[in-house]
Amino acid sequence: MQPLKLHCEVCSIVSSSGQMLGREAGGAIDQSSCIWRMNNAPTRGFEKDVGHRTDLRVVSHTSVPLLIQKPQHFFGLQNETVYVVWGPLRNMRKDGKGIVYNMLQQAVENYPHARIYVTTEERMNYCDTVFKKETGKDRIQSGSYLSTGWFTLILAMDMCKDIRVYGMINDTYCKFEGNKKVPYHYYEAGSRDECAEYLLHESAPYGGHRFITEKAVFAKWAKTHPIKFFRPEWKLS
């Protein structure tokens, strides 16, 4: 397995949030040297808001089956996208018992052209360590799972000179009266409201993503790294 080597001047990270809808950010996003998306977020039908190209896709182990359902679309010859898949060792182990790793291996056999990378156990542990360092909480003891956004931003800080994040809300957005109600994913109309989903996860005793906590950490990173947030813009105090 070759390690992933990728360096970009300007990375546009496109959130899967319903905040993307109607923002018409597609033109600005398409001008970036690298466009990053998450999981199975589509562009077709949403180009005006989310742009056309996908250079890199960060994918959760739980979303891999969704890619496998449309292998020609995601891994076919027309697709130049680099995939970085993250997941716990139990799903990603290479001894034949890692269910997700096996799926990916099958995809590469069927589509030899596909560029698929998986995060190492060391990298997964590193992301946990960063969470503990930034929040004071042990991820496992606090019953939480890191989000794909967390892995994406950490990866981007390694690979991108300039980071532009589109469609991500900050940690106080859901507290404001009159915040814009949007679906959790822009491509799932009628899905649960984003803030409702965030609040549910933040307080889940086990198995939740700490989206709001993570956003507070991102705001902190944006003060020392070239990270900017658009549509909605973040006011960094």
Side-chain angles (χ1 to χ4, degrees):
M1 284 291 276
Q2 293 293 313
L4 173 61
K5 287 187 176 63
L6 181 76
H7 293 287
C8 297
E9 277 297 306
V10 177
C11 292
S12 279
I13 296 176
V14 184
S15 159
S16 301
S17 160
Q19 296 289 340
M20 295 304 301
L21 294 169
R23 300 258 188 187
E24 300 193 2
I29 290 166
D30 282 336
Q31 286 170 15
S32 317
S33 32
C34 296
I35 302 174
W36 292 26
R37 303 186 194 277
M38 293 177 239
N39 297 321
N40 60 319
T43 53
R44 194 175 295 150
F46 300 98
E47 292 89 348
K48 200 172 177 181
D49 289 329
V50 305
H52 291 75
R53 233 173 52 245
T54 307
D55 300 302
L56 186 139
R57 208 176 260 282
V58 181
V59 181
S60 155
H61 59 112
T62 54
S63 292
V64 168
L66 299 172
L67 304 190
I68 302 290
Q69 282 170 16
K70 297 181 179 172
Q72 186 58 45
H73 172 71
F74 286 109
F75 307 126
L77 274 173
Q78 268 56 56
N79 202 326
E80 291 289 328
T81 304
V82 172
Y83 293 86
V84 177
V85 183
W86 69 270
L89 183 64
R90 65 175 187 277
N91 289 338
M92 306 304 279
R93 50 197 288 181
K94 299 171 183 169
D95 60 0
K97 293 179 184 165
I99 297 174
V100 176
Y101 186 81
N102 294 350
M103 283 181 191
L104 295 171
Q105 205 158 23
Q106 188 63 56
V108 173
E109 278 171 31
N110 296 342
Y111 299 91
H113 170 85
R115 299 166 71 194
I116 302 173
Y117 296 83
V118 295
T119 48
T120 59
E121 196 185 352
E122 293 76 33
R123 184 76 184 179
M124 292 296 293
N125 292 338
Y126 170 72
C127 289
D128 276 355
T129 306
V130 174
F131 183 78
K132 187 165 188 177
K133 180 175 153 252
E134 295 290 3
T135 64
K137 289 186 179 135
D138 182 281
R139 180 191 68 75
I140 296 166
Q141 284 172 1
S142 66
S144 52
Y145 289 112
L146 298 172
S147 76
T148 299
W150 182 266
F151 290 99
T152 303
L153 222 60
I154 288 181
L155 191 63
M157 288 194 292
D158 280 352
M159 296 187 172
C160 311
K161 203 166 165 188
D162 222 354
I163 300 169
R164 298 176 185 174
V165 184
Y166 286 87
M168 189 182 278
I169 57 174
N170 66 17
D171 61 313
T172 58
Y173 182 90
C174 294
K175 291 190 185 122
F176 287 121
E177 288 298 314
N179 60 46
K180 190 170 145 202
K181 279 206 181 328
V182 300
Y184 176 57
H185 288 147
Y186 68 79
Y187 49 92
E188 290 174 344
S191 62
R192 236 201 316 246
D193 166 59
E194 179 175 58
C195 279
E197 190 79 14
Y198 274 27
L199 295 166
L200 190 76
H201 271 274
E202 196 68 21
S203 58
Y206 176 75
H209 289 307
R210 305 301 185 223
F211 291 118
I212 296 170
T213 299
E214 288 185 9
K215 305 294 186 271
V217 175
F218 296 165
K220 188 175 151 191
W221 290 347
K223 290 174 186 175
T224 53
H225 293 78
I227 304 170
K228 288 197 167 65
F229 298 89
F230 300 94
R231 333 250 169 128
E233 287 191 27
W234 291 23
K235 307 248 182 303
L236 299 166
S237 55

